[in-house]
Amino acid sequence: MAMAVTQTLEQGGQLVVEAGTGVGKTYAYLVPVLLSGQRALVSTATKALQDQLFSRDIPRLVEVLGLPIRVALLKGRANYLCLHRMAQARHSAESAQPGAQRALAKIETWAQTTRTGDMAELTGLDERSALWPLVTSTRDNCLGSSCPSYRACHVNLARKEAMASDVVVINHHLFFADMAVRESGVAELLPTVRVTVFDEAHQLNEIGVNFLGKQLSTVQLLELSRDALATGLQLARGLVDWHGLTEGLEKSARDLRLAAGLHRGSVRLRWTERCPEGVEAADWVQALHKLQEALALMQAGLEMVAELAPDFQRLLERSRELAQKAALFSDSPDPEGVRWAEVSAQLRLIESPLDIAQAFSALTRPVQAAPSGGAEAAADPDSLEALMAGNPRHASGESAATPVGVGQRAWVFTSATLGDEPSLRWFTEPCGLTSAQVMQVSSPFDYAQQAALYVPEHLPKPADPGHAGHVAQLVVEAVQLLGGRTLVLTTTLNAMRSIGEYLQIRLDPAANVEVLVQGQSPKRRLMERFREGGGDGRAGCVLVASASFWEGFDVPGEALQLVVIDKLPFPPPGDPLFEARSQRITREGRSAFADHALPEAAVALKQGAGRLIRSETDRGVLVVCDTRLATMSYGRRLVRGLPQMRRLSGHAEFLATLRQFTTDATNSTTS
């Protein structure tokens, strides 16, 4: 893999690498990138992985290789302290909540000493805190160069540091946010970068689709109302009926959410011609009309005071932008995209492209830019071609970095799961990378010796109402033998709750096993507790989880020896985005099941299975409680996509394998 990356760095172009668990893909791309001496952008899927690259992996290699390389970390603006909003925070309604003044005082004290303003430095406050949005900014509420704290702005300082660095570490969300609105700093940085690496690249398409579309949410509306009230009362009290305007906007936002109906949990509703499916059209149209009226009144009020302060000018721009979005969702959907409503405690209306192929291929295609940017680039300073020609919108003249021609660029995409067949078409097609060089690097682990696959064929079919209960019974039997060391991955939140409750009731406390369920504690704490396992006299753990625990959860060693997956992770059939993509594939004369649903399930299954073996000494069993893996013809394709584990022939062999793990662990401890 390192040799292929080196060749791509030398020649330019696109390289897509699926690297199995244990390959060491991070070092396989970092070493060539660092040794190349080229300016590089490294993007990964999450802020946690971003921090790991910046704080651990890259510094370790820079030290070992003895390279004079400057590295910078760049996050989205909501991760940095906003000095202007912090100064206003004590005037907000939220600051009157119990404990808020003490927390604000802690933030203000930290603000005097922090160099970066990265909120991750501040212990005891996370993104779920009501104070977080009061002391950070978003694209919506940032005042830009009009801000009185512009020169000291931590976001701007982070961008300047990135422009002066050799390697910049970002995340996929930031990259696509910049593609959508050209405001995160990447637009200025990208033309000067010779190498771009996307780690955990399998998430690119889904993240990109969310950012490249258009969205209107009740969160945006309520935040506008909150900011307008706080700013109005502070800077223009008595000039406008701020309470009346904001109460009207908040009511219209709540009424629109209520018009979407009552739903348990979070659901996606496909769009009909006029409204979300299952919603009374007349009620919906009226609620949307009332929202537009409330936004029009807010605009009129803000126009009266817009010249008093930059804060009002930005609030007016926000109200206009939201009014435009409300008008968009009043019209018919774009036939080239897909529209849906995401309904939970809040409401989010989304219209997006089906994939990122068009936007992303325009960015990565090897076309040499004209020396001066060309007539077309000059006509549109926000175009990708203009950016590639070194004509960024936010260029300040302070960076000494030199723009790089598109044809000279190197693009590397890597992940442990990029498809279920050698061409990796599942990843390359929706990302517009059909001309990329593709390679697969197998895991160095000996799965035939280290791991086993068990499909319990005595269980009822997945659609059976009693399926989750039978899975829970199997887990109880296994956990009592292992003393914990079990991760249960479910495909739905309902199954997760059902299995978790069953285990918490049925597992004997004397067995010294602690049952952890996603949602009952913060994710980070669940991960830490599970990794602690049964060491130092602690109880062993069984963790029941869904969604985000299918990937990015790394537990090497004996703390995890059994992974149970309740069902094959096919996409939910009612999901609007999945349905729209399936319909497009059908129109193209292909099979929506074989070319879309099955590859999606294969990649998700591989991700879940990847939690089991994380080092050369790990041992474990993967249990897939779905008889379709053994009885349906497509089951063979799904099994081929998994690491080559030995198959357990029946329940007795499964239990015997678990007993052997326990015996070996006991012998190891006593010796």
Side-chain angles (χ1 to χ4, degrees):
M1 176 178 172
M3 293 175 64
V5 172
T6 300
Q7 185 178 28
T8 303
L9 299 186
E10 293 172 351
Q11 300 176 359
Q14 309 160 357
L15 173 66
V16 175
V17 185
E18 183 182 76
T21 307
V23 165
K25 62 182 173 65
T26 303
Y27 284 5
Y29 68 73
L30 278 180
V31 170
V33 166
L34 296 176
L35 290 176
S36 73
Q38 301 289 347
R39 200 148 193 258
L41 188 71
V42 179
S43 179
T44 190
T46 65
K47 286 181 288 187
L49 292 171
Q50 193 181 357
D51 287 332
Q52 177 182 308
L53 280 169
F54 176 74
S55 302
R56 190 187 73 181
D57 296 336
I58 295 178
R60 185 179 297 173
L61 286 176
V62 167
E63 181 181 4
V64 169
L65 298 173
L67 298 172
I69 289 177
R70 186 170 176 179
V71 184
L73 180 69
L74 190 60
K75 297 181 179 180
R77 67 167 57 252
N79 295 280
Y80 296 95
L81 175 70
C82 175
L83 299 172
H84 179 59
R85 289 179 63 78
M86 180 183 69
Q88 296 179 315
R90 288 192 179 273
H91 301 284
S92 68
E94 288 83 355
S95 66
Q97 299 297 319
Q101 293 294 323
R102 187 183 307 111
L104 279 173
K106 181 179 179 180
I107 295 171
E108 291 164 349
T109 301
W110 168 72
Q112 302 301 315
T113 59
T114 179
R115 185 185 70 82
T116 67
D118 187 342
M119 295 289 287
E121 297 174 4
L122 189 60
T123 58
L125 184 75
D126 64 24
E127 295 177 60
R128 296 173 297 176
S129 167
L131 291 181
W132 189 287
L134 298 185
V135 297
T136 60
S137 69
T138 65
R139 184 188 71 84
D140 288 336
N141 58 38
C142 174
L143 302 182
S145 58
S146 300
C147 179
S149 301
Y150 182 73
R151 288 188 176 275
C153 174
H154 290 296
V155 174
N156 290 333
L157 294 175
R159 292 175 182 174
K160 289 180 180 179
E161 185 171 349
M163 288 299 296
S165 298
D166 304 296
V167 177
V168 183
V169 183
I170 65 169
N171 59 64
H172 303 341
H173 294 81
L174 181 64
F175 183 89
F176 283 108
D178 198 276
M179 282 187 69
V181 298
R182 306 280 191 276
E183 75 86 43
S184 71
V186 178
E188 183 178 2
L189 177 66
L190 193 57
T192 69
V193 169
R194 171 67 173 76
V195 180
T196 304
V197 179
F198 290 96
D199 199 348
E200 299 298 319
H202 64 281
Q203 295 193 24
L204 276 178
N205 187 45
E206 295 309 310
I207 292 174
V209 161
N210 278 320
F211 278 96
L212 297 180
K214 299 179 178 67
Q215 299 186 23
L216 174 66
S217 72
T218 51
V219 170
Q220 293 172 308
L221 296 166
L222 295 175
E223 286 180 347
L224 172 64
S225 175
R226 181 196 65 199
D227 291 346
L229 180 61
T231 306
L233 293 180
Q234 182 184 0
L235 302 179
R237 184 185 291 269
L239 297 183
V240 175
D241 181 9
W242 298 112
H243 285 290
L245 289 179
T246 55
E247 287 172 3
L249 181 56
E250 289 173 5
K251 182 179 186 304
S252 67
R254 288 194 298 268
D255 288 347
L256 186 67
R257 165 62 190 88
L258 290 173
L262 299 176
H263 303 275
R264 182 181 178 185
S266 178
V267 298
R268 284 183 172 184
L269 303 179
R270 64 172 67 84
W271 203 271
T272 63
E273 185 62 26
R274 302 178 66 194
C275 64
E277 186 177 58
V279 173
E280 180 60 46
D283 293 344
W284 178 264
V285 171
Q286 182 181 12
L288 201 52
H289 178 68
K290 291 291 186 182
L291 172 62
Q292 290 174 292
E293 287 183 342
L295 285 168
L297 290 172
M298 177 65 75
Q299 287 181 62
L302 290 168
E303 285 170 352
M304 294 175 59
V305 296
E307 300 303 320
L308 296 181
D311 306 69
F312 289 125
Q313 294 171 8
R314 184 64 194 120
L315 285 166
L316 178 57
E317 292 171 3
R318 288 169 64 184
S319 65
R320 287 171 176 166
E321 290 167 1
L322 290 173
Q324 290 173 357
K325 291 179 179 179
L328 167 74
F329 287 102
S330 298
D331 293 335
S332 299
D334 180 357
E336 297 300 317
V338 58
R339 180 183 292 183
W340 72 92
E342 197 167 277
V343 187
S344 58
Q346 302 295 336
L347 173 67
R348 197 160 63 115
L349 309 182
I350 305 159
E351 183 167 287
S352 76
L354 297 183
D355 56 40
I356 64 172
Q358 183 175 356
F360 213 59
S361 61
L363 182 67
T364 60
R365 64 173 178 257
V367 178
Q368 197 73 30
S372 63
E376 292 183 6
D380 182 5
D382 275 347
S383 70
L384 294 172
E385 288 78 6
L387 294 176
M388 296 302 97
N391 190 22
R393 176 181 181 179
H394 301 288
S396 61
E398 299 179 5
S399 172
T402 303
V404 179
V406 181
Q408 302 166 348
R409 292 180 179 278
W411 302 83
V412 178
F413 305 83
T414 185
S415 171
T417 50
L418 291 176
D420 68 329
E421 36 80 41
S423 71
L424 303 181
R425 195 172 69 176
W426 174 86
F427 171 74
T428 58
E429 280 192 355
C431 291
L433 299 171
T434 52
S435 61
Q437 178 189 350
V438 173
M439 68 180 298
Q440 291 177 296
V441 183
S442 300
S443 170
F445 299 153
D446 187 353
Y447 279 94
Q449 293 297 319
Q450 293 180 246
L453 170 65
Y454 173 46
V455 181
E457 297 186 41
H458 64 280
L459 293 186
K461 294 181 178 180
D464 190 297
H467 181 266
H470 283 82
V471 173
Q473 292 172 16
L474 181 145
V475 173
V476 167
E477 189 176 13
V479 166
Q480 288 174 335
L481 286 174
L482 281 177
R485 295 183 276 173
T486 299
L487 172 64
V488 182
L489 297 173
T490 68
T491 54
T492 66
L493 293 176
N494 285 338
M496 181 192 77
R497 297 187 191 100
S498 176
I499 294 171
E501 291 171 2
Y502 185 97
L503 297 181
Q504 288 174 332
I505 294 172
R506 294 300 181 93
L507 278 174
D508 186 351
N512 200 31
V513 173
E514 183 178 358
V515 179
L516 308 172
V517 181
Q518 181 182 345
Q520 295 182 357
S521 293
K523 181 179 178 181
R524 180 177 297 181
R525 177 56 192 146
L526 290 175
M527 289 181 169
E528 290 171 351
R529 176 66 195 97
F530 190 88
R531 290 188 183 110
E532 291 167 356
D536 299 326
R538 294 174 176 266
C541 294
V542 52
L543 170 60
V544 186
S546 185
S548 59
F549 281 85
W550 280 70
E551 57 182 274
F553 184 29
D554 188 16
V555 189
E558 293 186 354
L560 175 59
Q561 291 193 308
L562 177 63
V563 172
V564 179
I565 293 176
D566 73 328
K567 298 178 183 179
L568 293 176
F570 284 107
D575 181 80
L577 188 54
F578 170 73
E579 286 188 346
R581 288 169 173 168
S582 297
Q583 290 166 5
R584 181 177 64 177
I585 288 173
T586 301
R587 289 195 299 269
E588 294 171 351
R590 297 189 289 154
S591 166
F593 179 75
D595 294 327
H596 185 32
L598 200 55
E600 289 278 338
V603 169
L605 184 62
K606 190 188 297 187
Q607 280 284 354
R611 303 311 98 215
L612 184 62
I613 304 297
R614 308 299 298 179
S615 75
E616 293 86 349
T617 58
D618 284 0
R619 293 188 304 161
V621 176
L622 170 68
V623 181
V624 181
C625 299
D626 193 325
T627 55
R628 292 175 294 180
L629 196 63
T631 60
M632 303 300 290
S633 59
Y634 59 76
R636 291 191 294 272
R637 177 175 169 181
L638 293 173
V639 171
R640 283 197 303 270
L642 295 173
Q644 299 302 305
M645 310 175 187
R646 70 184 187 278
R647 289 288 290 267
L648 300 181
S649 59
H651 199 65
E653 187 178 5
F654 165 62
L655 297 178
T657 302
L658 299 186
R659 289 192 189 95
Q660 188 62 49
F661 289 163
T662 304
T663 301
D664 292 346
T666 302
N667 292 339
S668 174
T669 302
T670 56
S671 62

